[in-house]
mmCIF file of all heavy atoms in Angstrom:
data_model
loop_
_atom_site.group_PDB
_atom_site.id
_atom_site.type_symbol
_atom_site.label_atom_id
_atom_site.label_comp_id
_atom_site.label_asym_id
_atom_site.label_seq_id
_atom_site.Cartn_x
_atom_site.Cartn_y
_atom_site.Cartn_z
ATOM 1 N N VAL A 366 84.920 98.255 142.578
ATOM 2 C CA VAL A 366 86.052 97.887 141.733
ATOM 3 C C VAL A 366 87.085 97.179 142.604
ATOM 4 O O VAL A 366 87.440 97.683 143.683
ATOM 5 C CB VAL A 366 86.690 99.133 141.073
ATOM 6 C CG1 VAL A 366 87.910 98.736 140.256
ATOM 7 C CG2 VAL A 366 85.665 99.848 140.204
ATOM 8 N N PRO A 367 87.544 95.993 142.211
ATOM 9 C CA PRO A 367 88.515 95.249 143.030
ATOM 10 C C PRO A 367 89.756 96.085 143.340
ATOM 11 O O PRO A 367 90.209 96.876 142.508
ATOM 12 C CB PRO A 367 88.866 94.045 142.151
ATOM 13 C CG PRO A 367 87.681 93.873 141.265
ATOM 14 C CD PRO A 367 87.179 95.259 140.988
ATOM 15 N N ASP A 368 90.293 95.883 144.514
ATOM 16 C CA ASP A 368 91.456 96.633 144.970
ATOM 17 C C ASP A 368 92.733 95.969 144.442
ATOM 18 O O ASP A 368 93.597 95.533 145.216
ATOM 19 C CB ASP A 368 91.459 96.691 146.504
ATOM 20 C CG ASP A 368 92.480 97.692 147.030
ATOM 21 O OD1 ASP A 368 92.893 98.568 146.253
ATOM 22 O OD2 ASP A 368 92.869 97.583 148.207
ATOM 23 N N ARG A 369 92.834 95.901 143.139
ATOM 24 C CA ARG A 369 93.995 95.323 142.475
ATOM 25 C C ARG A 369 94.115 95.914 141.076
ATOM 26 O O ARG A 369 93.175 96.522 140.576
ATOM 27 C CB ARG A 369 93.884 93.804 142.383
ATOM 28 C CG ARG A 369 92.700 93.307 141.549
ATOM 29 C CD ARG A 369 92.719 91.798 141.390
ATOM 30 N NE ARG A 369 91.646 91.324 140.532
ATOM 31 C CZ ARG A 369 90.449 90.983 140.950
ATOM 32 N NH1 ARG A 369 90.154 91.056 142.241
ATOM 33 N NH2 ARG A 369 89.526 90.553 140.099
ATOM 34 N N LYS A 370 95.265 95.732 140.451
ATOM 35 C CA LYS A 370 95.457 96.247 139.097
ATOM 36 C C LYS A 370 94.495 95.561 138.136
ATOM 37 O O LYS A 370 94.241 94.370 138.246
ATOM 38 C CB LYS A 370 96.905 96.021 138.645
ATOM 39 C CG LYS A 370 97.929 96.856 139.395
ATOM 40 C CD LYS A 370 99.333 96.597 138.883
ATOM 41 C CE LYS A 370 99.494 97.056 137.439
ATOM 42 N NZ LYS A 370 100.900 96.908 136.981
ATOM 43 N N CYS A 371 93.977 96.329 137.198
ATOM 44 C CA CYS A 371 93.000 95.809 136.243
ATOM 45 C C CYS A 371 93.453 96.093 134.811
ATOM 46 O O CYS A 371 94.054 97.130 134.540
ATOM 47 C CB CYS A 371 91.627 96.452 136.451
ATOM 48 S SG CYS A 371 90.868 96.139 138.050
ATOM 49 N N LEU A 372 93.129 95.184 133.926
ATOM 50 C CA LEU A 372 93.224 95.479 132.499
ATOM 51 C C LEU A 372 92.035 96.365 132.122
ATOM 52 O O LEU A 372 91.016 96.395 132.823
ATOM 53 C CB LEU A 372 93.227 94.191 131.688
ATOM 54 C CG LEU A 372 94.427 93.259 131.916
ATOM 55 C CD1 LEU A 372 94.242 91.963 131.144
ATOM 56 C CD2 LEU A 372 95.727 93.940 131.523
ATOM 57 N N PHE A 373 92.150 97.051 130.985
ATOM 58 C CA PHE A 373 91.168 98.076 130.668
ATOM 59 C C PHE A 373 89.758 97.527 130.497
ATOM 60 O O PHE A 373 88.785 98.105 131.007
ATOM 61 C CB PHE A 373 91.590 98.822 129.403
ATOM 62 C CG PHE A 373 90.724 100.005 129.089
ATOM 63 C CD1 PHE A 373 90.561 101.029 130.002
ATOM 64 C CD2 PHE A 373 90.052 100.096 127.872
ATOM 65 C CE1 PHE A 373 89.752 102.129 129.730
ATOM 66 C CE2 PHE A 373 89.248 101.186 127.577
ATOM 67 C CZ PHE A 373 89.097 102.203 128.509
ATOM 68 N N GLY A 374 89.625 96.403 129.784
ATOM 69 C CA GLY A 374 88.291 95.849 129.576
ATOM 70 C C GLY A 374 87.602 95.504 130.884
ATOM 71 O O GLY A 374 86.425 95.818 131.086
ATOM 72 N N ARG A 375 88.339 94.880 131.784
ATOM 73 C CA ARG A 375 87.749 94.523 133.071
ATOM 74 C C ARG A 375 87.471 95.766 133.919
ATOM 75 O O ARG A 375 86.508 95.798 134.688
ATOM 76 C CB ARG A 375 88.651 93.548 133.821
ATOM 77 C CG ARG A 375 88.604 92.144 133.228
ATOM 78 C CD ARG A 375 89.254 91.124 134.128
ATOM 79 N NE ARG A 375 89.071 89.788 133.583
ATOM 80 C CZ ARG A 375 88.040 89.006 133.827
ATOM 81 N NH1 ARG A 375 87.073 89.440 134.629
ATOM 82 N NH2 ARG A 375 87.949 87.806 133.306
ATOM 83 N N PHE A 376 88.309 96.790 133.775
ATOM 84 C CA PHE A 376 88.065 98.026 134.517
ATOM 85 C C PHE A 376 86.750 98.655 134.072
ATOM 86 O O PHE A 376 85.973 99.146 134.901
ATOM 87 C CB PHE A 376 89.227 98.993 134.303
ATOM 88 C CG PHE A 376 89.177 100.212 135.170
ATOM 89 C CD1 PHE A 376 89.470 100.132 136.525
ATOM 90 C CD2 PHE A 376 88.820 101.447 134.649
ATOM 91 C CE1 PHE A 376 89.413 101.260 137.345
ATOM 92 C CE2 PHE A 376 88.760 102.579 135.455
ATOM 93 C CZ PHE A 376 89.058 102.484 136.803
ATOM 94 N N LEU A 377 86.485 98.634 132.764
ATOM 95 C CA LEU A 377 85.203 99.140 132.273
ATOM 96 C C LEU A 377 84.047 98.320 132.834
ATOM 97 O O LEU A 377 83.002 98.868 133.234
ATOM 98 C CB LEU A 377 85.172 99.094 130.744
ATOM 99 C CG LEU A 377 86.119 100.026 129.996
ATOM 100 C CD1 LEU A 377 86.024 99.768 128.498
ATOM 101 C CD2 LEU A 377 85.808 101.489 130.307
ATOM 102 N N TYR A 378 84.230 97.005 132.855
ATOM 103 C CA TYR A 378 83.178 96.124 133.368
ATOM 104 C C TYR A 378 82.925 96.382 134.850
ATOM 105 O O TYR A 378 81.769 96.525 135.287
ATOM 106 C CB TYR A 378 83.572 94.668 133.133
ATOM 107 C CG TYR A 378 82.693 93.676 133.846
ATOM 108 C CD1 TYR A 378 81.350 93.516 133.483
ATOM 109 C CD2 TYR A 378 83.188 92.896 134.892
ATOM 110 C CE1 TYR A 378 80.539 92.607 134.151
ATOM 111 C CE2 TYR A 378 82.379 91.984 135.550
ATOM 112 C CZ TYR A 378 81.060 91.840 135.174
ATOM 113 O OH TYR A 378 80.254 90.944 135.833
ATOM 114 N N TYR A 379 84.005 96.481 135.639
ATOM 115 C CA TYR A 379 83.850 96.700 137.072
ATOM 116 C C TYR A 379 83.241 98.066 137.386
ATOM 117 O O TYR A 379 82.670 98.260 138.459
ATOM 118 C CB TYR A 379 85.195 96.571 137.778
ATOM 119 C CG TYR A 379 85.724 95.163 137.836
ATOM 120 C CD1 TYR A 379 87.071 94.888 137.575
ATOM 121 C CD2 TYR A 379 84.887 94.096 138.149
ATOM 122 C CE1 TYR A 379 87.560 93.595 137.641
ATOM 123 C CE2 TYR A 379 85.366 92.794 138.198
ATOM 124 C CZ TYR A 379 86.702 92.557 137.947
ATOM 125 O OH TYR A 379 87.188 91.270 138.001
ATOM 126 N N ASN A 380 83.347 99.010 136.456
ATOM 127 C CA ASN A 380 82.732 100.321 136.634
ATOM 128 C C ASN A 380 81.315 100.372 136.080
ATOM 129 O O ASN A 380 80.696 101.437 136.057
ATOM 130 C CB ASN A 380 83.587 101.408 135.982
ATOM 131 C CG ASN A 380 84.715 101.868 136.886
ATOM 132 O OD1 ASN A 380 84.533 102.728 137.744
ATOM 133 N ND2 ASN A 380 85.898 101.282 136.707
ATOM 134 N N GLY A 381 80.802 99.247 135.621
ATOM 135 C CA GLY A 381 79.417 99.168 135.179
ATOM 136 C C GLY A 381 79.146 99.768 133.819
ATOM 137 O O GLY A 381 77.979 100.004 133.478
ATOM 138 N N LEU A 382 80.186 99.997 133.007
ATOM 139 C CA LEU A 382 79.982 100.632 131.704
ATOM 140 C C LEU A 382 79.724 99.634 130.579
ATOM 141 O O LEU A 382 79.207 100.015 129.534
ATOM 142 C CB LEU A 382 81.205 101.494 131.354
ATOM 143 C CG LEU A 382 81.471 102.663 132.299
ATOM 144 C CD1 LEU A 382 82.695 103.443 131.830
ATOM 145 C CD2 LEU A 382 80.258 103.588 132.365
ATOM 146 N N ILE A 383 80.101 98.389 130.781
ATOM 147 C CA ILE A 383 79.854 97.355 129.775
ATOM 148 C C ILE A 383 79.375 96.100 130.497
ATOM 149 O O ILE A 383 79.621 95.921 131.687
ATOM 150 C CB ILE A 383 81.122 97.017 128.949
ATOM 151 C CG1 ILE A 383 82.230 96.493 129.864
ATOM 152 C CG2 ILE A 383 81.589 98.225 128.150
ATOM 153 C CD1 ILE A 383 83.451 95.964 129.125
ATOM 154 N N THR A 384 78.682 95.231 129.772
ATOM 155 C CA THR A 384 78.269 93.955 130.337
ATOM 156 C C THR A 384 79.399 92.947 130.170
ATOM 157 O O THR A 384 80.344 93.157 129.410
ATOM 158 C CB THR A 384 77.021 93.420 129.624
ATOM 159 O OG1 THR A 384 77.350 93.121 128.257
ATOM 160 C CG2 THR A 384 75.888 94.437 129.662
ATOM 161 N N TYR A 385 79.272 91.838 130.871
ATOM 162 C CA TYR A 385 80.302 90.801 130.751
ATOM 163 C C TYR A 385 80.317 90.233 129.337
ATOM 164 O O TYR A 385 81.364 89.895 128.797
ATOM 165 C CB TYR A 385 80.071 89.686 131.774
ATOM 166 C CG TYR A 385 81.294 88.827 131.974
ATOM 167 C CD1 TYR A 385 82.303 89.218 132.847
ATOM 168 C CD2 TYR A 385 81.462 87.640 131.269
ATOM 169 C CE1 TYR A 385 83.436 88.453 133.024
ATOM 170 C CE2 TYR A 385 82.595 86.870 131.444
ATOM 171 C CZ TYR A 385 83.577 87.272 132.322
ATOM 172 O OH TYR A 385 84.713 86.513 132.474
ATOM 173 N N GLN A 386 79.157 90.122 128.717
ATOM 174 C CA GLN A 386 79.096 89.622 127.341
ATOM 175 C C GLN A 386 79.869 90.547 126.409
ATOM 176 O O GLN A 386 80.608 90.089 125.530
ATOM 177 C CB GLN A 386 77.644 89.513 126.877
ATOM 178 C CG GLN A 386 77.531 89.011 125.430
ATOM 179 C CD GLN A 386 76.092 88.775 125.013
ATOM 180 O OE1 GLN A 386 75.201 88.720 125.858
ATOM 181 N NE2 GLN A 386 75.868 88.638 123.728
ATOM 182 N N GLU A 387 79.724 91.850 126.572
ATOM 183 C CA GLU A 387 80.468 92.802 125.741
ATOM 184 C C GLU A 387 81.968 92.695 126.001
ATOM 185 O O GLU A 387 82.773 92.843 125.073
ATOM 186 C CB GLU A 387 79.966 94.219 126.013
ATOM 187 C CG GLU A 387 78.567 94.466 125.466
ATOM 188 C CD GLU A 387 77.934 95.739 126.009
ATOM 189 O OE1 GLU A 387 78.386 96.243 127.054
ATOM 190 O OE2 GLU A 387 76.961 96.222 125.389
ATOM 191 N N LEU A 388 82.344 92.422 127.239
ATOM 192 C CA LEU A 388 83.766 92.229 127.559
ATOM 193 C C LEU A 388 84.324 91.017 126.830
ATOM 194 O O LEU A 388 85.402 91.089 126.231
ATOM 195 C CB LEU A 388 83.943 92.068 129.074
ATOM 196 C CG LEU A 388 85.348 91.683 129.551
ATOM 197 C CD1 LEU A 388 86.370 92.733 129.153
ATOM 198 C CD2 LEU A 388 85.350 91.459 131.061
ATOM 199 N N ILE A 389 83.603 89.898 126.863
ATOM 200 C CA ILE A 389 84.059 88.685 126.187
ATOM 201 C C ILE A 389 84.163 88.911 124.687
ATOM 202 O O ILE A 389 85.147 88.513 124.045
ATOM 203 C CB ILE A 389 83.111 87.513 126.473
ATOM 204 C CG1 ILE A 389 83.130 87.168 127.966
ATOM 205 C CG2 ILE A 389 83.482 86.294 125.637
ATOM 206 C CD1 ILE A 389 84.486 86.815 128.513
ATOM 207 N N GLU A 390 83.175 89.563 124.101
ATOM 208 C CA GLU A 390 83.201 89.830 122.660
ATOM 209 C C GLU A 390 84.401 90.697 122.292
ATOM 210 O O GLU A 390 85.034 90.487 121.251
ATOM 211 C CB GLU A 390 81.897 90.503 122.235
ATOM 212 C CG GLU A 390 80.685 89.573 122.302
ATOM 213 C CD GLU A 390 79.381 90.312 122.111
ATOM 214 O OE1 GLU A 390 79.399 91.565 122.112
ATOM 215 O OE2 GLU A 390 78.336 89.640 121.967
ATOM 216 N N ALA A 391 84.736 91.666 123.146
ATOM 217 C CA ALA A 391 85.881 92.534 122.883
ATOM 218 C C ALA A 391 87.192 91.760 122.986
ATOM 219 O O ALA A 391 88.115 91.964 122.186
ATOM 220 C CB ALA A 391 85.880 93.709 123.863
ATOM 221 N N ILE A 392 87.298 90.858 123.967
ATOM 222 C CA ILE A 392 88.506 90.058 124.134
ATOM 223 C C ILE A 392 88.719 89.161 122.922
ATOM 224 O O ILE A 392 89.840 89.037 122.404
ATOM 225 C CB ILE A 392 88.426 89.221 125.420
ATOM 226 C CG1 ILE A 392 88.505 90.133 126.650
ATOM 227 C CG2 ILE A 392 89.544 88.188 125.469
ATOM 228 C CD1 ILE A 392 88.260 89.415 127.968
ATOM 229 N N VAL A 393 87.646 88.527 122.455
ATOM 230 C CA VAL A 393 87.753 87.654 121.275
ATOM 231 C C VAL A 393 88.132 88.474 120.048
ATOM 232 O O VAL A 393 88.990 88.074 119.250
ATOM 233 C CB VAL A 393 86.429 86.898 121.051
ATOM 234 C CG1 VAL A 393 86.469 86.148 119.724
ATOM 235 C CG2 VAL A 393 86.170 85.925 122.206
ATOM 236 N N TRP A 394 87.515 89.626 119.859
ATOM 237 C CA TRP A 394 87.830 90.521 118.734
ATOM 238 C C TRP A 394 89.308 90.888 118.745
ATOM 239 O O TRP A 394 89.980 90.846 117.712
ATOM 240 C CB TRP A 394 86.967 91.773 118.850
ATOM 241 C CG TRP A 394 87.332 92.902 117.941
ATOM 242 C CD1 TRP A 394 86.933 93.074 116.642
ATOM 243 C CD2 TRP A 394 88.168 94.034 118.257
ATOM 244 N NE1 TRP A 394 87.462 94.236 116.137
ATOM 245 C CE2 TRP A 394 88.227 94.843 117.101
ATOM 246 C CE3 TRP A 394 88.862 94.429 119.395
ATOM 247 C CZ2 TRP A 394 88.959 96.021 117.055
ATOM 248 C CZ3 TRP A 394 89.585 95.604 119.356
ATOM 249 C CH2 TRP A 394 89.642 96.391 118.196
ATOM 250 N N GLN A 395 89.836 91.243 119.915
ATOM 251 C CA GLN A 395 91.232 91.630 120.027
ATOM 252 C C GLN A 395 92.149 90.443 119.744
ATOM 253 O O GLN A 395 93.172 90.574 119.058
ATOM 254 C CB GLN A 395 91.504 92.175 121.429
ATOM 255 C CG GLN A 395 92.907 92.739 121.613
ATOM 256 C CD GLN A 395 93.131 93.226 123.035
ATOM 257 O OE1 GLN A 395 92.879 92.494 123.992
ATOM 258 N NE2 GLN A 395 93.580 94.461 123.177
ATOM 259 N N LYS A 396 91.782 89.269 120.261
ATOM 260 C CA LYS A 396 92.604 88.070 120.077
ATOM 261 C C LYS A 396 92.722 87.706 118.602
ATOM 262 O O LYS A 396 93.808 87.391 118.108
ATOM 263 C CB LYS A 396 91.985 86.922 120.865
ATOM 264 C CG LYS A 396 92.496 85.535 120.505
ATOM 265 C CD LYS A 396 93.914 85.314 120.943
ATOM 266 C CE LYS A 396 94.339 83.884 120.654
ATOM 267 N NZ LYS A 396 95.754 83.634 120.999
ATOM 268 N N VAL A 397 91.610 87.740 117.882
ATOM 269 C CA VAL A 397 91.606 87.331 116.477
ATOM 270 C C VAL A 397 92.453 88.280 115.618
ATOM 271 O O VAL A 397 93.105 87.862 114.661
ATOM 272 C CB VAL A 397 90.154 87.253 115.948
ATOM 273 C CG1 VAL A 397 90.132 87.061 114.440
ATOM 274 C CG2 VAL A 397 89.417 86.109 116.637
ATOM 275 N N GLN A 398 92.484 89.569 115.961
ATOM 276 C CA GLN A 398 93.222 90.552 115.161
ATOM 277 C C GLN A 398 94.682 90.718 115.574
ATOM 278 O O GLN A 398 95.423 91.454 114.946
ATOM 279 C CB GLN A 398 92.518 91.909 115.262
ATOM 280 C CG GLN A 398 91.108 91.906 114.688
ATOM 281 C CD GLN A 398 90.576 93.298 114.505
ATOM 282 O OE1 GLN A 398 91.095 94.095 113.732
ATOM 283 N NE2 GLN A 398 89.527 93.618 115.237
ATOM 284 N N ARG A 399 95.093 90.024 116.629
ATOM 285 C CA ARG A 399 96.460 90.169 117.133
ATOM 286 C C ARG A 399 97.463 89.622 116.126
ATOM 287 O O ARG A 399 97.277 88.550 115.577
ATOM 288 C CB ARG A 399 96.589 89.403 118.442
ATOM 289 C CG ARG A 399 97.942 89.476 119.104
ATOM 290 C CD ARG A 399 97.934 88.643 120.368
ATOM 291 N NE ARG A 399 96.911 89.102 121.287
ATOM 292 C CZ ARG A 399 96.469 88.388 122.324
ATOM 293 N NH1 ARG A 399 96.925 87.183 122.536
ATOM 294 N NH2 ARG A 399 95.547 88.888 123.115
ATOM 295 N N PRO A 400 98.540 90.356 115.800
ATOM 296 C CA PRO A 400 99.543 89.846 114.848
ATOM 297 C C PRO A 400 100.218 88.595 115.387
ATOM 298 O O PRO A 400 100.499 88.489 116.587
ATOM 299 C CB PRO A 400 100.534 91.014 114.719
ATOM 300 C CG PRO A 400 100.362 91.816 115.969
ATOM 301 C CD PRO A 400 98.914 91.693 116.338
ATOM 302 N N ALA A 401 100.480 87.651 114.517
ATOM 303 C CA ALA A 401 101.077 86.387 114.929
ATOM 304 C C ALA A 401 102.549 86.573 115.279
ATOM 305 O O ALA A 401 103.272 87.323 114.615
ATOM 306 C CB ALA A 401 100.932 85.350 113.813
ATOM 307 N N ILE A 402 102.991 85.857 116.306
ATOM 308 C CA ILE A 402 104.388 85.907 116.717
ATOM 309 C C ILE A 402 105.302 85.472 115.570
ATOM 310 O O ILE A 402 106.362 86.066 115.339
ATOM 311 C CB ILE A 402 104.620 85.012 117.943
ATOM 312 C CG1 ILE A 402 103.981 85.634 119.185
ATOM 313 C CG2 ILE A 402 106.108 84.770 118.190
ATOM 314 C CD1 ILE A 402 104.651 86.899 119.663
ATOM 315 N N GLY A 403 104.889 84.449 114.827
ATOM 316 C CA GLY A 403 105.701 83.964 113.712
ATOM 317 C C GLY A 403 105.918 85.029 112.653
ATOM 318 O O GLY A 403 107.025 85.169 112.113
ATOM 319 N N ASN A 404 104.879 85.788 112.356
ATOM 320 C CA ASN A 404 105.013 86.845 111.357
ATOM 321 C C ASN A 404 105.940 87.951 111.831
ATOM 322 O O ASN A 404 106.718 88.510 111.047
ATOM 323 C CB ASN A 404 103.630 87.430 111.030
ATOM 324 C CG ASN A 404 102.761 86.470 110.247
ATOM 325 O OD1 ASN A 404 103.268 85.519 109.657
ATOM 326 N ND2 ASN A 404 101.461 86.688 110.255
ATOM 327 N N LEU A 405 105.866 88.271 113.123
ATOM 328 C CA LEU A 405 106.761 89.294 113.661
ATOM 329 C C LEU A 405 108.213 88.819 113.632
ATOM 330 O O LEU A 405 109.114 89.580 113.280
ATOM 331 C CB LEU A 405 106.354 89.634 115.103
ATOM 332 C CG LEU A 405 104.977 90.296 115.285
ATOM 333 C CD1 LEU A 405 104.677 90.483 116.765
ATOM 334 C CD2 LEU A 405 104.920 91.639 114.565
ATOM 335 N N ALA A 406 108.434 87.560 114.006
ATOM 336 C CA ALA A 406 109.794 87.006 113.986
ATOM 337 C C ALA A 406 110.336 86.944 112.563
ATOM 338 O O ALA A 406 111.529 87.172 112.327
ATOM 339 C CB ALA A 406 109.800 85.615 114.617
ATOM 340 N N LEU A 407 109.463 86.656 111.601
ATOM 341 C CA LEU A 407 109.879 86.631 110.197
ATOM 342 C C LEU A 407 110.265 88.027 109.725
ATOM 343 O O LEU A 407 111.268 88.207 109.012
ATOM 344 C CB LEU A 407 108.734 86.075 109.342
ATOM 345 C CG LEU A 407 108.988 85.922 107.841
ATOM 346 C CD1 LEU A 407 110.068 84.873 107.594
ATOM 347 C CD2 LEU A 407 107.697 85.522 107.130
#
């Protein structure tokens, strides 16, 4: 595991619990469901 701060998805990947493909799929899933800044400002 790199000797630096990690985000959770990458920490799972560096610990061998998920593949890189699963990491990318999770990042895209999270990005698509993220609330829009415009809606929050409204």
Side-chain angles (χ1 to χ4, degrees):
V366 177
D368 192 19
R369 63 175 184 270
K370 292 181 65 175
C371 298
L372 296 175
F373 187 57
R375 286 192 175 272
F376 188 74
L377 293 176
Y378 169 67
Y379 289 137
N380 277 276
L382 297 181
I383 61 172
T384 65
Y385 197 84
Q386 179 175 345
E387 289 166 341
L388 173 61
I389 296 302
E390 290 170 350
I392 291 173
V393 172
W394 169 85
Q395 186 182 51
K396 165 70 176 177
V397 170
Q398 297 194 63
R399 181 182 302 164
I402 289 291
N404 289 342
L405 295 176
L407 182 65

